[in-house]
Amino acid sequence: MAIKITTGWLRKETHGPIKRFERRWVVVSATTLQYFKKDDNSAPPLGVIDLPGKKIALLEDTDNSFKFELSDKDDIFNFSCDTRSEREKWVDAISCISYGAYGGGMFGTSIETTVKREQLHGGRLIPKIIAQCIGYLDNPLHLKENGIFRLPGNERVVKSLKMEFQQGIEPNLAVKGDTHTVGSLLKLYLRSLPDSVIPSHLYEDFVSIILTYEINEREGLNELKYLINKIPSSNYNTLRKLCGFLHKVQEFADYNRMDLNNLAVVFSPTILKNNSGDLSLEMSDMQKLKRVTEVGRDTTVGDVCFLWFSASETCNRLEISSF
């Protein structure tokens, strides 16, 4: 049986001379979208849509109706959701399949899968969207921008850029973007990942290492090097690129007001999150992390990421000159 990626109720537009939307139970699997009359799959599907190669378009919103369209040269299928966020969930899930073979569909897809797909189309060691966003932002004009990563960008442009990346298109950020819009796009991508950059099953190990580092720096660094080897290469490469860049951002904190603590608030949940989903436990552990010091001052897990993964002695697993 195909692995179910997303399931739920949608309204599907009927074919025929009289158009209307009927409620259907929808199952998005590895390559198809199937729709049923009931949610128990007790009967064969009413229809099956092959997703690879299908184009996705957002249709005009109306009251309590947020529509999207799947199409190819032969067919058009329209669906309706109750909320904008629900539509975004479905569009992301379907995009992973419909555009994945063409180097797109990275939102909601693991870093490892995205890198493997993109390498078939000339990609490198990290997701293209990470490389392009950092490449755009990594100059003094943007690094000095007050509130970088804190102030929101143009929502309409962010959504447009997201859709282009989803479709496997590489938009010209210098023409379409600005500091806050590209920063918002980068944060949106990281939040869409099914797991944090450091896989969440390593959360407790990482917390333990930080506490070890507080007591014995050398032993903590040695344990960190061992932990690095548990991180998939594509995640490690992404982590190194991201943390190296964020370290540079904080060097301009006098201009942008984004020191390591502020950056940690923004990025820590996407760099490393608690696998249990227990927010109270995560907050408890974050209190422990705040006891770690760097150059005699309080710090956080974000600071430790930036410090350790920017340090040359902890980055020897892979020799990477560029991304």
Side-chain angles (χ1 to χ4, degrees):
M1 178 180 293
I3 298 175
K4 296 178 182 178
I5 297 176
T6 301
T7 61
W9 290 101
L10 285 175
R11 293 186 297 275
K12 180 186 177 297
E13 187 178 56
T14 60
H15 287 89
I18 301 178
K19 304 290 187 182
R20 65 181 184 276
F21 283 88
E22 295 181 341
R23 195 165 182 254
R24 295 290 180 248
W25 179 254
V26 176
V27 176
V28 175
S29 300
T31 60
T32 63
L33 181 153
Q34 302 179 63
Y35 51 95
F36 302 80
K37 190 171 184 177
K38 298 181 178 181
D39 62 359
D40 57 6
N41 298 345
S42 59
L46 298 175
V48 179
I49 302 172
D50 291 323
L51 293 178
K54 287 287 190 297
K55 294 181 179 179
I56 305 175
L58 304 184
L59 304 181
E60 184 177 358
D61 299 339
T62 57
D63 292 341
N64 299 319
S65 182
F66 301 88
K67 302 181 181 70
F68 65 93
E69 175 186 276
L70 303 181
S71 65
D72 57 23
K73 61 183 180 63
D74 299 317
D75 294 298
I76 296 177
F77 304 92
N78 289 332
F79 294 88
S80 176
C81 306
D82 291 331
T83 66
R84 187 175 286 107
S85 61
E86 182 184 2
R87 179 176 63 181
E88 184 175 0
K89 179 196 75 170
W90 282 103
V91 169
D92 282 352
I94 294 168
S95 296
C96 293
I97 302 169
S98 59
Y99 298 126
Y102 306 97
M106 69 281 295
F107 282 81
T109 302
S110 71
I111 292 174
E112 190 171 16
T113 297
T114 293
V115 169
K116 287 179 180 177
R117 286 176 175 175
E118 291 181 350
Q119 285 180 336
L120 298 175
H121 302 272
R124 295 187 178 180
L125 299 173
I126 64 174
K128 290 179 181 179
I129 188 170
I130 295 275
Q132 285 193 237
C133 287
I134 290 179
Y136 172 83
L137 294 169
D138 191 7
N139 73 63
L141 175 66
H142 300 300
L143 293 171
K144 290 181 178 181
E145 181 72 24
N146 184 28
I148 182 173
F149 294 125
R150 187 179 72 249
L151 300 178
N154 185 304
E155 183 179 2
R156 180 185 62 81
V157 178
V158 171
K159 289 182 177 180
S160 174
L161 292 172
K162 173 188 173 180
M163 183 57 71
E164 289 190 54
F165 274 108
Q166 282 288 72
Q167 294 171 349
I169 301 170
E170 297 185 31
N172 187 336
L173 298 182
V175 173
K176 299 183 177 182
D178 59 67
T179 304
H180 300 300
T181 295
V182 175
S184 294
L185 179 67
L186 177 59
K187 292 188 297 181
L188 181 64
Y189 168 70
L190 291 172
R191 288 197 301 268
S192 81
L193 294 174
D195 199 0
S196 48
V197 179
I198 299 175
S200 56
H201 71 269
L202 297 175
Y203 183 86
E204 292 183 1
D205 291 340
F206 200 85
V207 170
S208 176
I209 285 175
I210 292 176
L211 296 179
T212 300
Y213 179 83
E214 180 183 11
I215 298 170
N216 187 316
E217 180 176 327
R218 181 179 295 276
E219 184 178 347
L221 288 173
N222 287 335
E223 290 186 10
L224 176 66
K225 292 176 184 178
Y226 174 76
L227 181 60
I228 287 175
N229 287 313
K230 294 184 178 181
I231 301 175
S233 294
S234 52
N235 290 61
Y236 167 81
N237 297 336
T238 299
L239 181 68
R240 184 181 176 191
K241 183 71 172 180
L242 179 63
C243 290
F245 169 66
L246 294 179
H247 183 77
K248 184 177 293 187
V249 172
Q250 63 85 31
E251 291 179 336
F252 288 82
D254 288 343
Y255 299 94
N256 60 39
R257 303 295 188 266
M258 293 298 287
D259 59 18
L260 285 175
N261 285 321
N262 290 334
L263 288 170
V265 170
V266 174
F267 286 96
S268 285
T270 55
I271 289 177
L272 178 65
K273 65 182 179 183
N274 181 2
N275 192 37
S276 71
D278 186 338
L279 294 180
S280 62
L281 176 60
E282 188 162 332
M283 289 302 296
S284 173
D285 286 337
M286 284 300 293
Q287 293 303 314
K288 298 175 185 176
L289 300 177
K290 288 181 179 179
R291 298 206 310 267
V292 183
T293 58
E294 177 202 355
V295 197
R297 65 178 178 80
D298 288 341
T299 189
T300 67
V301 64
D303 299 62
V304 176
C305 286
F306 308 152
L307 170 65
W308 284 351
F309 285 93
S310 298
S312 59
E313 65 265 30
T314 64
C315 293
N316 293 327
R317 185 163 70 104
L318 293 175
E319 292 295 330
I320 306 167
S321 57
S322 65
F323 293 90

